[in-house]
Amino acid sequence: MFQVTTSASVASARSLSSKGTVLLRNEGLLPLARGKNVAVIGLADSIHGIRDAVGDSGSVVFNCGMDVEAAVELAKQSDYAVVFVGTLSGEGSDRSSLSLDVGTEWAGQNQAFWCMSGA
């Protein structure tokens, strides 16, 4: 059995972690403003925290994201769109791209993301 918690392995893990971390700049978008309309799109387990942030004077509408056109339209009609996406990748193999997995129920969400972001 291998010892994976040596000081060298911990130092290596910390180094790789810091090199692979991406920080996004918040330019006034967060926290969500109260009283706004928020679209929550994708497989979100719980939207209670978003509802709490928006407050009673705003609205939170959920769309599972399976109908790409409906998700895009909801996002366009909302002040904010919070989009949850995922992949099926794991350890032991490389990905050919950063796109979402083709052939899964999420494949159309690449298109939805680009439509919603205006790219």
Side-chain angles (χ1 to χ4, degrees):
M1 181 173 227
F2 293 102
Q3 171 62 296
V4 295
T5 56
T6 64
S7 25
S9 65
V10 170
S12 177
R14 285 189 177 146
S15 173
L16 291 172
S17 175
S18 67
K19 290 176 183 175
T21 300
V22 176
L23 297 177
L24 301 177
R25 186 184 334 218
N26 180 17
E27 296 180 350
L29 184 62
L30 296 174
L32 294 176
R34 298 184 78 69
K36 298 292 186 177
N37 299 315
V38 179
V40 176
I41 300 168
L43 296 177
D45 288 337
S46 173
I47 59 175
H48 299 296
I50 296 171
R51 283 196 173 120
D52 291 344
V54 170
D56 293 335
S57 59
S59 69
V60 177
V61 179
F62 175 76
N63 180 297
C64 70
M66 297 300 290
D67 181 342
V68 173
E69 289 80 17
V72 169
E73 191 56 37
L74 176 62
K76 287 180 178 179
Q77 295 173 3
S78 302
D79 297 308
Y80 300 104
V82 179
V83 182
F84 294 88
V85 296
T87 68
L88 300 176
S89 62
E91 292 185 34
S93 64
D94 293 332
R95 294 184 57 87
S96 60
S97 77
L98 294 179
S99 295
L100 297 175
D101 300 317
V102 175
T104 68
E105 60 189 69
W106 287 98
Q109 296 220 356
N110 287 316
Q111 174 191 358
F113 173 76
W114 293 113
C115 291
M116 286 183 269
S117 66

